[in-house]
Amino acid sequence: MVGLIDVPRVRADFPILSRKLPNGKSLVYLDNAATTQKPVQVIEALSDYYRSYNANAHRGLHALSAEATDAYESARKKAAAFIGASARETVFTRGTTESLNLIAYSWALANLRKGDVIVLSQMEHHSNIVPWQFVAGQTGAVLRFIPITPEGRLDLASLDSLLSCAKLVSVTHASNVLGTINDVAAISRRAHEAGALVVVDAAQSAPHLPVDVSSLGCDFLAFSSHKMLGPMGVGVLWGKRELLDSMRPFNYGGEMIREVSFESSTFVEPPLKFEAGTGNVGDAIAFGVALDYLSEIGGLGAVREHEKQLLALMLESLDSLGAVVFGPSDVHERAGVVSFNLPGVHGHDVASVLDGEGVAIRSGHHCAMPLMRALGVAATARASPYVYNSLDEVDYFIASLKKVKRVFGSGGL
Ligand code: 7TS
């Protein structure tokens, strides 16, 4: 037991964690920022949907369709409650990337003009940069970036000047590279004073710490199911009701219409206005089960405490190995991500030696190339723990890193 989470009990729910890798090693899965594993409850919920009540939601009058619709809408209520929101403001998407694109297409293209400013930060994932570059190209809006400090925090000293003429601020709640948890509530306050709307990329925060849209004070928030024990291909866009009401649809087609004639169409209210076509019904339902699971194992408060213990051990051990760790050193300021480099060893070499030991981590630019440039590195290795990881696994990860050092010789170490 680490903190409030009963790790052995949790691990027993994840079939994949007991498999042997092709080289005979046991799996130590530390690539949770990329995607998490799924408990048997989620796998069974998905299978149960296809075995027992597969039907198109919101389409039919028959019993199966009613069951599928009820389960889909109940998953929406769970997703909404998870972030302190109402179901009417909670749109199912394919994931964070699609949620951010939805805002770009449906809100930004319609509302931004030449010279308007979009404020991002230097620590954004490509998903929260590229859609805004597209919007800027289409509208003549200008992008500005909140810089980072040498410790990997947002440098908010220049925020007020960056906010001049800003119509939109879109920032990550937690960095997928540095782990930094940003003070989104403060950014929202200042952005609103300057007349800008605020988008929060919660892909790396919603799985790891309690997230509440009212406390954050934002206007939109996006996250993905697959990073929090749920299936791939489903995620959430939350938006304030009046904004969703005012926005044009993202996709056009079945189920999002009220009335269609040969000449024109009218649309239903959000959230269905933004869910054209057949949705990812089974995966959304299984996502709801993942959210139930997170609350059953102790809730996000317990998840956070558990991760702080793992992070503390990781940071301390990496330091004593002589690794360069990116991001704040205080676990209170970081979510479940630790990027590091062993001097003289490329991140890909670190990851590949660890893979030989059965330890899965990610290496590379982590879809944050501008941040890599700001940090002055080409790549990092990144370990990201979650609810099923134990302190013993962190020790094994560190022992495997010692092997990396042996394999690559002194190499400046
Ligand atoms: N925003 C952040 C902060 C992310 O970390 C990611 C995915 C996304 C957006 C995009 O999420 P998606 O579910 O739409 O793909 N991040 C990572 C990662 O760090 N490694 O693999 C995927």
Side-chain angles (χ1 to χ4, degrees):
M1 187 122 162
V2 180
L4 298 169
I5 291 196
D6 186 344
V7 176
R9 250 193 72 196
V10 167
R11 291 182 72 81
D13 289 329
F14 289 77
I16 209 168
L17 297 180
S18 54
R19 69 160 281 184
K20 287 276 182 275
L21 294 168
N23 63 6
K25 300 275 184 190
S26 299
L27 171 66
V28 174
Y29 188 77
L30 289 172
D31 194 17
N32 294 287
T35 198
T36 61
Q37 301 303 340
K38 322 301 172 198
V40 71
Q41 290 84 343
V42 168
I43 299 166
E44 277 171 7
L46 190 55
S47 153
D48 184 45
Y49 166 73
Y50 285 113
R51 280 171 194 277
S52 317
Y53 60 103
N54 171 53
N56 212 324
H58 292 294
R59 300 290 197 288
L61 288 177
H62 57 79
L64 292 192
S65 178
E67 277 181 43
T69 303
D70 284 353
Y72 183 66
E73 289 307 319
S74 148
R76 189 194 307 282
K77 284 189 191 122
K78 290 176 195 174
F82 186 79
I83 51 167
S86 88
R88 194 190 172 285
E89 300 178 319
T90 303
V91 180
F92 278 130
T93 63
R94 279 170 49 228
T96 305
T97 302
E98 189 173 78
S99 300
L100 294 169
N101 274 275
L102 195 162
I103 307 165
Y105 277 88
S106 295
W107 185 85
L109 284 184
N111 288 285
L112 297 186
R113 305 276 168 275
K114 191 170 165 47
D116 286 343
V117 170
I118 302 171
V119 177
L120 311 174
S121 88
Q122 286 186 342
M123 63 169 81
E124 299 309 317
H125 186 278
H126 295 164
S127 295
N128 197 27
I129 298 176
V130 186
W132 308 120
Q133 289 175 339
F134 165 72
V135 167
Q138 295 290 304
T139 61
V142 178
L143 302 184
R144 289 189 193 139
F145 293 86
I146 305 171
I148 53 167
T149 67
E151 300 77 36
R153 298 187 187 89
L154 287 185
D155 182 353
L156 297 180
S158 55
L159 184 59
D160 289 336
S161 63
L162 293 175
L163 281 171
S164 120
C165 299
K167 292 285 186 307
L168 188 76
V169 176
S170 189
V171 286
T172 194
H173 192 186
S175 161
N176 70 319
V177 175
L178 303 165
T180 318
I181 300 169
N182 293 316
D183 188 352
V184 170
I187 295 171
S188 293
R189 244 185 339 268
R190 288 167 68 178
H192 286 155
E193 277 164 24
L197 293 185
V198 176
V199 178
V200 174
D201 174 350
Q204 298 291 353
S205 61
H208 301 281
L209 47 134
V211 166
D212 178 84
V213 290
S214 317
S215 324
L216 294 178
C218 54
D219 300 286
F220 295 104
L221 182 129
F223 60 105
S224 300
S225 146
H226 72 96
K227 293 187 197 290
M228 46 201 308
L229 311 181
M232 290 184 173
V234 63
V236 166
L237 170 67
W238 170 82
K240 277 189 182 152
R241 183 176 179 149
E242 58 276 18
L243 285 168
L244 294 179
D245 282 342
S246 74
M247 281 156 56
R248 63 190 182 195
F250 177 36
N251 290 312
Y252 296 81
E255 203 45 43
M256 47 78 71
I257 50 82
R258 193 184 301 286
E259 183 93 34
V260 178
S261 70
F262 285 121
E263 294 76 30
S264 64
S265 305
T266 54
F267 310 121
V268 293
E269 308 271 289
L272 294 184
K273 176 169 120 182
F274 298 102
E275 294 180 15
T278 296
N280 198 350
V281 178
D283 288 304
I285 293 167
F287 176 35
V289 173
L291 297 176
D292 290 341
Y293 185 87
L294 283 169
S295 86
E296 277 153 24
I297 64 171
L300 269 285
V303 171
R304 177 92 182 106
E305 288 312 308
H306 169 71
E307 285 185 12
K308 277 201 245 171
Q309 296 197 32
L310 299 174
L311 291 174
L313 179 61
M314 261 189 198
L315 292 174
E316 186 193 311
S317 310
L318 283 167
D319 189 49
S320 58
L321 270 184
V324 177
V325 177
F326 300 91
S329 51
D330 183 345
V331 292
H332 296 95
E333 289 182 71
R334 54 154 81 226
V337 175
V338 178
S339 288
F340 62 95
N341 276 329
L342 292 179
V345 189
H346 193 282
H348 287 339
D349 291 328
V350 175
S352 109
V353 174
L354 289 193
D355 181 51
E357 299 301 302
V359 181
I361 63 161
R362 184 174 171 185
S363 62
H365 55 65
H366 313 292
C367 301
M369 287 168 113
L371 174 59
M372 293 290 127
R373 208 162 303 134
L375 294 172
V377 294
T380 74
R382 182 188 72 180
S384 49
Y386 205 36
V387 291
Y388 33 69
N389 291 119
S390 64
L391 291 169
D392 286 347
E393 285 185 309
V394 175
D395 284 338
Y396 181 79
F397 157 68
I398 296 295
S400 305
L401 283 177
K402 288 183 180 151
K403 182 157 184 186
V404 176
K405 288 177 71 168
R406 284 199 298 279
V407 169
F408 286 90
S410 58
L413 298 172

